[in-house]
Each structure stands twice: as structure tokens, then as C-alpha cells.
């Protein structure tokens, strides 16, 4: 063989044998860029309307009702094509579109979580120090504390009175609303603080939210600024200090979702882990008509603190919902589960060239390379991973290839660098074949996280393909 033939042969072999990742923008089909843009508009408005899991659940219900879903009650007769939803305590939502096949053939589940890292108020939060009023917080989920100081914050949540009245609180994102903040040390006096490791520079007990400074009354009391805050809260919400005890109030970043970059190819916003996947699986099931296999969408709470609690993925609420559906068809839940498939859609770390040393680039998800498929998550020796079987990965690969979905493989950082988990293991524990997949994120868990629009859209497209295929 001469040299030229040899190099042609190399090209041919490379084409035939090698797995090469491609930038998703080189793979988009005609018209897809417009579809992606309009999808992302809807996603950004979902983010702006849902800063807590309760708000996301409310928003989900409104969207589901508009798409013809109706609330499900135990014992309700269902037929193929019916669209239903059930809300678990206002914080988690399960939706289903009944398939033409029986539930004994299993279901296709898209599972994501709608809680996000934030600062919860303590149960006795309000105090005054040196004529400034503050709220004490206890952070929820894995935050980097130094990122939460000196940024604008909103307050969202509920206060439940002893008579059962639920008072909804939302301050910061309304027209003309005030916002809040946590103060940080000025650099002029920060030399000692700057010597501390990042994780220690801002202790958790310093994450106190500044809520006022105007004293009330003319006496010499040491709580006149606190009293102002209490009076305003009482006037607006009818609450007194003891009501904080039965409240769930959270401080979340006061930034709306925005396009990022000259080319507007990215979205920056709070809470994209995991509302970016939550919106994708929701949007996919809302578009579904008369599927072969029953489709289930699970939007869970409490993932960021271990999926515990009655609204987390470890709760029997999901099994109860599924069992109720199965009972309607005289199917054993165990039979349904063993034939089911779950795409556990949660974000993964996007390879960040600014922190290249914690990533192993060959196996990292890249921005704009599509939905990242993680055969396993976990940390160290895959600890805490459900580690999907090769057979399951093959089925998903085939389904996504057939649907023209741009996908890539993903692994969260170098083997020894750290790790993370998702709800996948709790689905797998139920004897449901489960695979992790999701959108790669830059600055995950930061008050302002960044994702690629292409990857958001491909996650939606992947879930739609799975719901439509008898995977
Ligand atoms: Mn997550
Ligand atoms: Mn997370």
C-alpha cells in the first residue's frame, strides 16, 4: 500500500470504529434551534415562577391542568389516554398518562427533583443586634457558604397558623418589593478572614439575613428594630413571632433567569439543579398523547438532603400512587415495577476549563454536547451509586439514537475528587431498571448556576423519546 491509501484506510477505520463526541450545534436538525429557543423561554419562566418546591408544585399543577390533566383520587376509573396528577403535601407531584398496554407491562418513569439548595429560616429566627434586625438561617443542601453573602435575597414560603390557615409569603420578586441580604466583611478588615480555608471563612451561624434597621416607639427598649419587623409582618400577614415555629420560610437568590453570553447560548439562574430536568420531564409528559406504555413523571422534594422525609423519593408516597394505579387494573405493584424503566434525570457537572484539575475530560460532560448519561454516580468506589446495567444503557442508547437526541456520557469529576448521588438508587431499590441522565451544569449549587440551552432541550427531547418508545 502506498502512503495515500494507508491514510485513507486510517480515515475509514476511524469513521467506522471510533466513538467521537461532537458539539451538539453541529448535529442540530433543521428548525431545532428555534424549537430549542422557544422551549427555553418556557423553562426560564418556570424558574422565575418556582423558587421553592411548593411554588414549583403549584406551577406544575397549573401547567398540567392546562394540558388536560386532572387530579387523581384512589379508585378513580382510568382508561388509556387518561391524564392524571397527584400532589404530595404541596411539595412533590406525580403525573401519569395511561398507556394502551396494561400496567403489568411496566411504566416509563421520568424522575427529577424540584427542591434546591437554599437558606431556611430557623424556627426562632428573628433577633436584633446593635439596632439591626436579622433572621437566623440553617442552610438546606450542599452550599458553598461564601457564595451566599452580599447578594440580593428573596424570602419565600409558608407560615401555618394553629388553626390550619396557610399563609403564603413571597417577598422580593413582586413589583416594588424590598429584598434582603447577608453582609460580608469588607476587604479592608478581612486579612485574617482571608487566610481561612474557603469552607471556614463564613461560618453557618454567620448566615444571618439583614431585615431592617428602623426603630419603632420612643422608649429605650433594645428590641425596637425587631419590633418594627414584627409589626410589618403582622400587618401584612397577620402573624406573630411564635408563628415562625410552624413556618417554612426560605431565602433564595433574587435573580431572575437570564440568557448568558453574547450569543445567548446559555441560561443563568438559581435552582437549575434540578428544575432544569424537572421542567424537561414535565414538558415531555404534558405533550404526550395516548402512549403505548403508561408514562409517569415524578417531581420529588428533599433530594438535596438525602431524599428523606415524607415528600422525598424514599417516601412510600410514590409506591402508594403507583399501587393505586395498579389496583385499578388488578395488577401486582411488584410486577409493574419489575417491568418498568426510570430515567432519573438530575444535573451533572459540566467540564469547566477553569477548574480542569478536578475533571477527567474524556469522561466528563461538556456544555452543548447534549444530555449526559451517567451509568453510575456515587463517590469514591461508586459508593451510593445504583450503577445501571449495560443492558439498560444499551436500550437507552438505542432509543436516543433513533430519536436523534444529542447525548454524551457523563461522570462527576475525577474518581478521587468527590462525587454525588441522585434519586436513582431509590428507584433501583424498588426493583425498577434505572439510569441517571441530565443536563451538565457550571457552578452547580451556586446561587447562580449556568447551563447550555442545547443541553436543556436535548434532555426534554430524550425524555419525550423514552415516553414515546416502548423502551
Ligand atoms: Mn440534583
Ligand atoms: Mn444538587
Amino acid at each position: 500500500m502506498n502512503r495515500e491509501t494507508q491514510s485513507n484506510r486510517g480515515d475509514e477505520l476511524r469513521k467506522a470504529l471510533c466513538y467521537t463526541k461532537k458539539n451538539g450545534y453541529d448535529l442540530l436538525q433543521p428548525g431545532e434551534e428555534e424549537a430549542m429557543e422557544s422551549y427555553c423561554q418556557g423553562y426560564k419562566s418556570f424558574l422565575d415562577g418556582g423558587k421553592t418546591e411548593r411554588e414549583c408544585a403549584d406551577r406544575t399543577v397549573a401547567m398540567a391542568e392546562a394540558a388536560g390533566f386532572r387530579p387523581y383520587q384512589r379508585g378513580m376509573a382510568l382508561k388509556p389516554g387518561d391524564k392524571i396528577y397527584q400532589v404530595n403535601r404541596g411539595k412533590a407531584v406525580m403525573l401519569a398518562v395511561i398507556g394502551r398496554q396494561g400496567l403489568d407491562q411496566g411504566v416509563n418513569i421520568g424522575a427529577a427533583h424540584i427542591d434546591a439548595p437554599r437558606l431556611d429560616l430557623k424556627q426562632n429566627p428573628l433577633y436584633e443586634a446593635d439596632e439591626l434586625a436579622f433572621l437566623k438561617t440553617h442552610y438546606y443542601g450542599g452550599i458553598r457558604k461564601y457564595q451566599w453573602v452580599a447578594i440580593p435575597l428573596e424570602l419565600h414560603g409558608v407560615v401555618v397558623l394553629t388553626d390550619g390557615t396557610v399563609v403564603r409569603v413571597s417577598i422580593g420578586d413582586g413589583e416594588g418589593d424590598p429584598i434582603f441580604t447577608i453582609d460580608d466583611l469588607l476587604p479592608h478588615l478581612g486579612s485574617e478572614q482571608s487566610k481561612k480555608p474557603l469552607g471556614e471563612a463564613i461560618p453557618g451561624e454567620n448566615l444571618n439575613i439583614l431585615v431592617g434597621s428602623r426603630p419603632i416607639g420612643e422608649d429605650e427598649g433594645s428590641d425596637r428594630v425587631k419590633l418594627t419587623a414584627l409589626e410589618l409582618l403582622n400587618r401584612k400577614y397577620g402573624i406573630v413571632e411564635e408563628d415562625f415555629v410552624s413556618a417554612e420560610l426560605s431565602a433564595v437568590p433574587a435573580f431572575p433567569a437570564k440568557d448568558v453570553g453574547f450569543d445567548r447560548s446559555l441560561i443563568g439562574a438559581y435552582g437549575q439543579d434540578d428544575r432544569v430536568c424537572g421542567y424537561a420531564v414535565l414538558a415531555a409528559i404534558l405533550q404526550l398523547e395516548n402512549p403505548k406504555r403508561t408514562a409517569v413523571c415524578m417531581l420529588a422534594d428533599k433530594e438535596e438532603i438525602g431524599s428523606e422525609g415524607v415528600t422525598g423519593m424514599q417516601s412510600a408516597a410514590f409506591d402508594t400512587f403507583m399501587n393505586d394505579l395498579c389496583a385499578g387494573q388488578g395488577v401486582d405493584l411488584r410486577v409493574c415495577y419489575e417491568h418498568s424503566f426510570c430515567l432519573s434525570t438530575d444535573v451533572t457537572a459540566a467540564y469547566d476549563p477553569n477548574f480542569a484539575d478536578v475533571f477527567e475530560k474524556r469522561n466528563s460532560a461538556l456544555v452543548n454536547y447534549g444530555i449526559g448519561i451517567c451509568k453510575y454516580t456515587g463517590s469514591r468506589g461508586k459508593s451510593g451509586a445504583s450503577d445501571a446495567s449495560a443492558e439498560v444503557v444499551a436500550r437507552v442508547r438505542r432509543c436516543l439514537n433513533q430519536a436523534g437526541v444529542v447525548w454524551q456520557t457523563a461522570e462527576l469529576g475525577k474518581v478521587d475528587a468527590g462525587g454525588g448521588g441522585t434519586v436513582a438508587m431509590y428507584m433501583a431499590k424498588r426493583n425498577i431498571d434505572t439510569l441517571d441522565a441530565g443536563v451538565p451544569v457550571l457552578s452547580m449549587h451556586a446561587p447562580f448556576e449556568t447551563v447550555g440551552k442545547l443541553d436543556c432541550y436535548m434532555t426534554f427531547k430524550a425524555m419525550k423519546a423514552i415516553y414515546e418508545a416502548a423502551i
Side-chain angles (χ1 to χ4, degrees):
M1 274 193 281
N2 63 31
R3 188 164 289 197
E4 201 181 329
T5 338
Q6 263 184 0
S7 93
N8 284 347
R9 185 163 155 70
D11 282 348
E12 276 167 33
L13 281 175
R14 216 166 281 124
K15 224 173 150 194
L17 302 180
C18 291
Y19 168 54
T20 31
K21 287 192 179 188
K22 277 202 180 121
N23 189 302
Y25 278 92
D26 297 328
L27 299 168
L28 283 179
Q29 293 163 13
E32 247 183 350
E33 210 156 333
E34 292 71 29
M36 180 176 103
E37 198 53 47
S38 96
Y39 170 82
C40 287
Q41 287 296 341
Y43 167 51
K44 281 182 288 181
S45 107
F46 182 78
L47 284 175
D48 288 342
K51 303 273 176 77
T52 62
E53 62 277 358
R54 285 181 194 262
E55 291 174 356
C56 284
D58 290 350
R59 185 88 192 215
T60 297
V61 168
M63 289 166 68
E65 298 248 352
F69 283 67
R70 52 198 174 108
Y72 173 74
Q73 268 128 33
R74 182 170 299 144
M76 192 182 265
L78 296 172
K79 56 179 191 317
D82 279 354
K83 300 171 177 186
I84 53 157
Y85 71 86
Q86 194 172 73
V87 181
N88 180 6
R89 296 167 172 86
K91 298 180 180 190
V93 190
M94 295 160 281
L95 304 99
V97 180
I98 307 302
R100 305 192 302 277
Q101 281 182 345
L103 288 166
D104 56 330
Q105 304 293 303
V107 300
N108 289 328
I109 304 163
H113 66 92
I114 50 176
D115 62 318
R118 62 185 187 233
L119 303 177
D120 284 343
L121 297 198
K122 294 194 186 195
Q123 297 323 113
N124 188 15
L126 185 61
Y127 70 100
E128 177 173 336
D130 301 306
E131 293 167 88
L132 295 172
F134 296 94
L135 292 168
K136 289 210 68 72
T137 67
H138 194 136
Y139 58 93
Y140 171 99
I143 65 163
R144 310 196 78 193
K145 285 168 275 188
Y146 72 89
Q147 296 175 335
W148 290 74
V149 293
I151 62 166
L153 297 170
E154 298 172 0
L155 215 51
H156 290 249
V158 298
V159 182
V160 184
L161 309 182
T162 47
D163 68 357
T165 309
V166 178
V167 181
R168 304 197 78 98
V169 174
S170 170
I171 308 170
D173 65 350
E175 189 66 28
D177 275 7
I179 52 164
F180 307 93
T181 194
I182 294 170
D183 42 87
D184 194 6
L185 193 54
L186 60 166
H188 315 66
L189 300 177
S191 61
E192 283 307 310
Q193 185 203 37
S194 297
K195 290 179 197 155
K196 292 182 183 170
L198 267 183
E200 292 170 18
I202 306 285
E205 292 296 349
N206 276 29
L207 293 175
N208 302 318
I209 303 168
L210 181 61
V211 294
S213 69
R214 192 194 299 267
I216 204 167
E218 279 151 26
D219 58 50
E220 297 292 297
S222 61
D223 58 352
R224 296 196 302 150
V225 177
K226 173 182 166 177
L227 271 179
T228 304
L230 276 176
E231 199 204 17
L232 288 168
L233 285 169
N234 183 261
R235 215 184 293 156
K236 184 160 183 194
Y237 298 106
I239 59 172
V240 297
E241 190 174 11
E242 192 188 292
D243 293 326
F244 279 122
V245 169
S246 50
E248 283 176 351
L249 293 168
S250 307
V252 298
F255 324 128
K258 288 272 194 185
D259 286 349
V260 171
F262 292 121
D263 58 8
R264 298 176 167 268
S265 60
L266 306 149
I267 295 172
Y270 161 68
Q272 301 206 70
D273 171 8
D274 180 37
R275 293 166 192 149
V276 67
C277 297
Y279 183 77
V281 294
L282 174 63
I285 203 165
L286 294 186
Q287 288 188 8
L288 201 59
E289 296 291 344
N290 218 14
K292 185 173 178 192
R293 216 169 184 217
T294 294
V296 175
C297 170
M298 174 73 223
L299 301 179
D301 178 30
K302 296 277 184 281
E303 193 278 340
E304 294 296 357
I305 56 167
S307 297
E308 307 279 355
V310 79
T311 50
M313 204 59 249
Q314 297 197 66
S315 158
F318 179 75
D319 309 293
T320 306
F321 174 73
M322 290 303 300
N323 193 48
D324 288 346
L325 296 186
C326 284
Q329 296 187 7
V331 169
D332 187 330
L333 179 66
R334 294 171 305 172
V335 174
C336 175
Y337 276 176
E338 71 190 9
H339 293 108
S340 291
F341 168 75
C342 175
L343 196 70
S344 169
T345 56
D346 202 344
V347 297
T348 185
Y351 175 79
D352 188 339
N354 291 309
F355 301 99
D357 53 333
V358 294
F359 292 96
E360 189 268 288
K361 197 173 174 186
R362 287 183 66 82
N363 286 285
S364 290
L366 306 176
V367 170
N368 289 335
Y369 278 63
I371 180 174
I373 290 173
C374 311
K375 184 177 182 298
Y376 47 84
T377 57
S379 42
R380 299 175 303 280
K382 299 191 182 181
S383 173
S386 55
D387 201 359
S389 72
E391 288 84 346
V392 170
V393 181
R395 274 153 62 196
V396 173
R397 214 177 110 200
R398 184 184 61 216
C399 172
L400 300 189
N401 283 342
Q402 280 172 353
V405 174
V406 180
W407 59 270
Q408 59 183 325
T409 58
E411 186 167 16
L412 206 152
K414 276 183 179 167
V415 173
D416 289 329
T422 67
V423 301
M425 60 174 157
Y426 307 114
M427 288 303 196
K429 206 173 254 180
R430 293 176 158 101
N431 196 21
I432 298 171
D433 275 325
T434 302
L435 179 62
D436 268 299
V439 175
V441 179
L442 293 165
S443 316
M444 193 197 293
H445 282 205
F448 194 74
E449 303 172 304
T450 303
V451 300
K453 287 181 176 175
L454 185 140
D455 305 324
C456 300
Y457 180 69
M458 287 302 158
T459 301
F460 156 73
K461 200 174 162 184
M463 198 62 230
K464 197 158 173 274
I466 287 168
Y467 278 145
E468 282 166 358
I471 193 162

